[in-house]
Amino acid sequence: PCNGRETNASLRLAKRIGLDYNIKKSVMLLSKELLLLVFFTGMETVASFTAFQFPSIPTFFKPPNSAAVTADPVSKKKAELLEAISYTNNGKDASPETQAKVLQIVREIEKTAPTKDTLFTDPAEAAKLDGLWYLQYTSPSVVGDDDELPDAWKPVVAESNIETTQFNGKGEVSASGIRVDTSNKVVKQIFDVTKMTATNLITLDFGKVCVSGTFRPSKNVPSRAVISFTNADITLNNGLELKLGFLFSVLALFRGKENGWLETTYLGDDMRIGRGNKGTMFALTRDVDAVQP
């Protein structure tokens, strides 16, 4: 069935098929090379674009320093203190846990930013003490034990002839034995550094109680004011006034004229922390509404 003509035709067909195959193979290889060339050329272009740097633009405004934005440690602790003493009625309703927490925060503030020794000699420092302060919290002399508060504040040295008996009342103040409940009351303390006077003014339901006297800087502790209370006036809502200053005169016969001291352990523009001769701690602010009642 196969003759010579058919054989020649078959050979020509086979060669043509082989040629077409080789052409297609070459085209495929060439296409592959072109694709690789385009790919790598594109990568080099991207790399060149990435390496390109725009000319620097003059900086007219610098970003704020993060350290300046972040509140300093003392400001943070002061905020914690105001939060801790809120809703305690000047300390009267503070639980033992709250009392310990408050004293711990206060101690950290005192150690981080102690009052300068030039409190009464530097006019700028004295001006920070001068004027009206609002009592926001009163702590008793003893809170917990030494294990709970190992770093509890202790006076460097006492003043002669001034009583240091511990005072364990909460939300109260005392002046030579005259105790006044200050819970949920507006209590003002006014320092006049020019006249060297100190005044405590308490508004009560029946009237006002005002206890005042003079002070001098301590010779032992530069940030301590030694106070001589001489006046104790009660003004009733009906206008009647009671003068009880003679009580201090009687006590002075037995204890001496100077009957208390107050050491300022921290002093800022908006907050002051003080320690009394009986170990009590006082937190005061310039703003009457700085603490939630």
Side-chain angles (χ1 to χ4, degrees):
C2 297
N3 55 31
R5 183 179 295 177
E6 291 176 347
T7 301
N8 291 334
S10 298
L11 289 172
R12 287 195 299 272
L13 179 61
K15 290 180 179 179
R16 184 176 181 179
I17 292 173
L19 179 60
D20 291 343
Y21 173 77
N22 290 332
I23 292 174
K24 290 181 179 180
K25 184 177 180 181
S26 298
V27 171
M28 291 178 64
L29 290 174
L30 180 60
S31 300
K32 184 177 180 181
E33 293 296 333
L34 287 173
L35 288 173
L36 289 174
L37 179 61
V38 171
F39 176 77
F40 284 112
T41 303
M43 290 295 292
E44 291 177 357
T45 302
V46 172
S48 299
F49 180 78
T50 305
F52 175 76
Q53 294 183 353
F54 288 98
S56 59
I57 301 175
T59 303
F60 297 101
F61 301 100
K62 293 184 179 180
N65 190 344
S66 59
V69 175
T70 305
D72 63 275
V74 175
S75 296
K76 182 179 179 181
K77 288 298 177 182
K78 286 164 58 177
E80 292 180 11
L81 177 60
L82 293 177
E83 181 179 359
I85 65 179
S86 290
Y87 306 108
T88 63
N89 282 332
N90 204 331
K92 191 176 185 65
D93 297 335
S95 65
E97 293 77 16
T98 298
Q99 290 178 333
K101 179 181 179 180
V102 168
L103 288 181
Q104 182 180 3
I105 297 173
V106 165
R107 197 71 191 101
E108 291 175 0
I109 295 175
E110 291 173 334
K111 291 190 298 182
T112 304
T115 304
K116 296 181 180 180
D117 290 343
T118 56
L119 176 60
F120 295 109
T121 58
D122 182 358
E125 288 299 310
K128 292 169 64 176
L129 174 65
D130 190 65
L132 173 63
W133 295 89
Y134 292 94
L135 179 65
Q136 304 287 9
Y137 185 88
T138 304
S139 174
S141 301
V142 179
V143 175
D145 51 35
D146 293 339
D147 294 333
E148 295 181 58
L149 298 170
D151 194 29
W153 180 87
K154 294 179 176 61
V156 177
V157 63
E159 302 288 336
S160 60
N161 298 325
I162 295 181
E163 183 183 5
T164 57
T165 304
Q166 292 181 344
F167 180 71
N168 296 320
K170 297 195 306 178
E172 294 180 319
V173 293
S174 174
S176 295
I178 301 177
R179 300 175 61 160
V180 179
D181 184 358
T182 60
S183 60
N184 202 23
K185 304 291 191 303
V186 177
V187 182
K188 300 177 182 179
Q189 187 172 84
I190 306 168
F191 267 94
D192 188 328
V193 295
T194 302
K195 298 180 179 180
M196 303 292 280
T197 60
T199 303
N200 294 323
L201 181 61
I202 306 171
T203 302
L204 303 173
D205 296 335
F206 58 84
K208 296 181 179 180
V209 177
C210 181
V211 179
S212 62
T214 59
F215 73 86
R216 65 169 178 83
S218 169
K219 298 178 181 179
N220 300 317
V221 182
S223 59
R224 179 185 295 173
V226 181
I227 303 175
S228 302
F229 289 111
T230 55
N231 304 305
D233 302 330
I234 299 177
T235 303
L236 303 179
N237 292 331
N238 60 9
L240 180 64
E241 292 186 10
L242 303 176
K243 301 288 187 179
L244 304 178
F246 68 91
L247 294 176
F248 292 123
S249 299
V250 173
L251 292 174
L253 297 176
F254 303 95
R255 301 178 183 176
K257 183 179 179 181
E258 297 176 338
N259 40 37
W261 54 258
L262 180 62
E263 186 172 330
T264 300
T265 54
Y266 170 76
L267 179 61
D269 294 330
D270 55 357
M271 178 181 289
R272 177 165 63 90
I273 297 174
R275 304 277 188 163
N277 54 286
K278 295 187 177 183
T280 49
M281 186 279 294
F282 306 98
L284 306 96
T285 64
R286 289 290 192 185
D287 182 6
V288 65
D289 298 319
V291 172
Q292 298 298 320

